[in-house]
């Protein structure tokens, strides 16, 4: 089945979880920013309600990603541009076997090849219905599923290790710097940044290109890192008009819409990228504060609390760059900031090794 076009302005704090495109990652569901529909609407959306172990598939953007719905996400309903696949006869086809068939790079690549659109891929359910998979005898399906489940368990353990490493860094940050905020040794962001600007306004659809300059969007900005799994590109000629807005390594990006107040530092390989005006604010810290520290502070509980107070908007939560300038940031000694940066560097090495292990297992 296809999903329903839920209205974001009707989202509530709890109720029926809405499973969206962003939730369907490769092989698992990610739901760090859940959206809910009123439980009182259960009857009107009954045909879009999901069940445990429903097989979900992304039809837009990163097409061809599949995940099984865990019981912990229920009650849940299916949003538009996400497909739910249910087996007609489970005596002929095992669900875990089907999941592993579709979780392969082969299937995902075929989906990408078959999808339409330049700026954003869209997969046809007509094409999907005609996609052929091998169907061996049930005992063979179960053996294949068992082997892949073992590898999937190894991948899950490695990903859990990365989560622990990220939590360790966040805990270390609070341990080292919270005292400076309590003592009132702070300054407004406007005093610590040489500028607070936003990027390109009203980027026209015709400017998208398969081979061009990467344009970062708010969905690429994650807590303290850039996610490059869903990048878009724009025509270099179009981007040239906005060369003064090009990003530089060490700039701090902060999301302004959708999930405002998420920050990361621009790494060297993305220097020269552009940004959408309505999505991201760009900050360049002065000599009093290093970018990594600034990013972590904006993502800290204190930074999130500030964003909650300042953001406005009903259908889509947002806050302006002017409000962002008012954020109070603690001023620990630069030596202490550098010590934290060195700690993050060491943890990042462990994180990189673990990520390599995950990629090897996924390739296998």
């Amino acid at each position: 089945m296809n999903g329903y076009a839920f209205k974001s302005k009707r989202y509530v704090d709890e109720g029926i979880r809405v499973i969206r495109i962003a939730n369907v990652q490769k092989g698992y569901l990610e739901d760090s920013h859940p959206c809910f529909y009123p439980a009182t609407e259960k009857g009107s959306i009954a045909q879009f309600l999901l069940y445990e172990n429903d097989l979900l598939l992304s039809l837009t953007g990163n097409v061809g990603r599949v995940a099984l719905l865990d019981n912990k996400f229920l009650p849940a309903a299916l949003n538009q541009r996400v497909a739910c696949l249910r087996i007609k006869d489970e005596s002929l086809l095992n669900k875990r076997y089907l999941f592993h068939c579709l979780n392969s790079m082969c299937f995902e690549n075929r989906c990408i090849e078959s999808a339409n659109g330049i700026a954003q891929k869209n997969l046809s359910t007509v094409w999907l219905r005609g996609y052929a998979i091998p169907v061996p005898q049930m005992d063979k399906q179960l053996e294949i599923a068992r082997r892949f489940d073992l590898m999937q368990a190894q991948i899950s353990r490695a990903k859990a290790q990365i989560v622990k490493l990220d939590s360790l860094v966040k805990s270390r940050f609070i341990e080292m710097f919270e005292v400076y905020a309590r003592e009132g040794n702070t300054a407004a962001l406007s005093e610590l940044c040489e500028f607070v600007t936003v990027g390109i306004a009203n980027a026209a659809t015709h400017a998208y290109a398969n081979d061009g300059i990467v344009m970062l969007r708010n969905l690429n900005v994650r807590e303290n890192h850039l996610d490059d799994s869903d990048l878009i590109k724009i025509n270099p000629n179009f981007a040239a008009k906005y060369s003064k807005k090009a990003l530089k390594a060490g700039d701090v990006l902060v999301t302004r819409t959708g999930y405002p107040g998420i920050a990361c530092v621009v790494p060297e390989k993305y220097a020269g990228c552009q940004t959408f005006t309505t999505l991201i604010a760009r900050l360049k810290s002065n000599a009093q504060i290093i970018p990594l520290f600034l990013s972590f502070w904006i993502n800290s509980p204190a930074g999130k609390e500030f964003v909650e107070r300042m953001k406005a908007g009903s259908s889509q939560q947002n806050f302006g760059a002017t409000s962002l300038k008012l954020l109070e940031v603690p001023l620990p000694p630069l030596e202490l900031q550098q010590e934290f940066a060195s700690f993050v560097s060491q943890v990042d090495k462990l994180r990189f090794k673990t990520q390599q292990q995950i990629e090897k297992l996924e390739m296998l």
Side-chain angles (χ1 to χ4, degrees):
M1 66 178 182
N2 287 309
Y4 175 70
F6 289 96
K7 294 177 172 57
S8 58
K9 65 182 179 181
R10 299 202 58 195
Y11 286 166
V12 293
D13 292 334
E14 58 181 24
I16 300 170
R17 190 184 305 265
V18 179
I19 302 298
R20 299 154 295 143
I21 281 286
N23 302 131
V24 184
Q25 299 298 312
K26 186 166 179 59
Y28 70 98
L29 282 179
E30 192 280 332
D31 201 26
S32 57
H33 299 289
C35 293
F36 298 94
Y37 222 58
T40 54
E41 297 293 321
K42 187 174 182 179
S44 63
I45 59 171
Q47 69 187 93
F48 302 103
L49 294 178
L50 296 168
Y51 303 104
E52 183 178 3
N53 285 328
D54 268 346
L55 183 58
L56 308 177
L57 188 149
S58 60
L59 298 174
T60 295
N62 291 315
V63 296
R65 291 184 174 183
V66 296
L68 291 171
L69 183 65
D70 192 279
N71 183 60
K72 67 182 180 181
F73 294 114
L74 297 177
L78 193 67
N79 199 20
Q80 62 182 347
R81 303 309 300 159
V82 183
C84 174
L85 281 65
R86 291 175 181 156
I87 296 172
K88 292 181 178 180
D89 187 347
E90 295 194 10
S91 68
L92 299 177
L93 185 63
N94 176 265
K95 185 174 292 185
R96 296 294 305 180
Y97 169 78
L98 175 61
F99 164 72
H100 288 300
C101 271
L102 302 186
N103 195 38
S104 67
M105 288 304 300
C106 175
F107 174 72
E108 187 173 355
N109 289 336
R110 288 291 304 279
C111 288
I112 293 171
E113 292 168 2
S114 303
N116 299 315
I118 296 176
Q120 188 164 248
K121 297 290 186 181
N122 289 289
L123 186 65
S124 165
T125 52
V126 174
W127 176 87
L128 185 60
R129 289 188 184 97
Y131 184 79
I133 62 168
V135 186
Q137 294 297 316
M138 182 57 69
D139 59 344
K140 187 65 175 177
Q141 291 184 41
L142 294 174
E143 173 61 17
I144 291 171
R146 185 189 67 82
R147 293 192 180 197
F148 277 94
D149 281 345
L150 288 173
M151 285 189 283
Q152 192 69 45
Q154 288 180 281
I155 292 171
S156 296
R157 284 193 292 271
K159 287 181 177 179
Q161 181 64 25
I162 287 180
V163 171
K164 289 181 180 179
L165 290 172
D166 291 342
S167 297
L168 174 65
V169 173
K170 291 178 182 179
S171 298
R172 179 66 170 160
F173 179 85
I174 294 174
E175 175 187 316
M176 292 178 69
F177 303 114
E178 195 174 39
V179 62
Y180 292 93
R182 290 200 303 266
E183 293 176 351
N185 184 17
T186 63
L189 199 60
S190 58
E191 301 174 37
L192 301 173
C193 293
E194 295 181 13
F195 57 81
V196 179
T197 59
V198 290
I200 295 176
N202 302 320
T205 303
H206 69 266
Y208 293 127
N210 289 322
D211 296 311
I213 294 175
V214 171
M215 174 180 277
L216 297 175
R217 297 173 290 168
N218 63 338
L219 58 82
N220 299 123
V221 180
R222 302 298 175 91
E223 286 195 5
N224 304 310
H225 75 279
L226 272 174
D227 180 1
D228 58 3
S229 61
D230 188 17
L231 294 174
I232 64 170
K233 296 181 179 180
I234 59 174
N235 188 302
N237 295 327
F238 179 80
K241 296 189 296 183
Y242 300 92
S243 58
K244 290 184 179 180
K245 294 182 181 291
L247 298 173
K248 297 180 180 179
D251 284 350
V252 177
L253 302 181
V254 186
T255 57
R256 298 179 54 236
T257 65
Y259 300 108
I262 299 175
C264 71
V265 180
V266 177
E268 186 67 43
K269 69 176 181 177
Y270 289 116
C273 296
Q274 313 293 321
T275 61
F276 281 122
T277 297
T278 55
L279 302 181
I280 304 173
R282 174 184 63 174
L283 304 97
K284 182 177 181 181
S285 57
N286 63 22
Q288 293 177 273
I289 194 166
I290 65 173
L292 183 69
F293 172 83
L294 180 56
S295 173
F296 268 86
W297 180 253
I298 294 172
N299 290 321
S300 72
K304 293 183 185 301
E305 182 182 345
F306 171 83
V307 172
E308 286 298 319
R309 292 199 310 268
M310 301 301 293
K311 71 185 181 183
S314 54
S315 62
Q316 189 172 41
Q317 294 295 319
N318 61 81
F319 74 113
T322 302
S323 299
L324 183 61
K325 292 180 182 181
L326 301 176
L327 174 64
E328 289 289 322
V329 181
L331 289 175
L334 280 174
E335 295 81 6
L336 198 60
Q337 295 182 44
Q338 293 292 354
E339 180 183 329
F340 174 71
S342 297
F343 173 75
V344 172
S345 178
Q346 293 301 315
V347 173
D348 279 348
K349 290 178 182 177
L350 293 174
R351 198 181 191 281
F352 179 72
K353 289 181 180 179
T354 306
Q355 186 61 44
Q356 282 186 313
Q357 180 187 2
I358 292 172
E359 290 172 0
K360 288 180 180 178
L361 286 167
E362 288 177 338
M363 183 60 70
L364 180 62

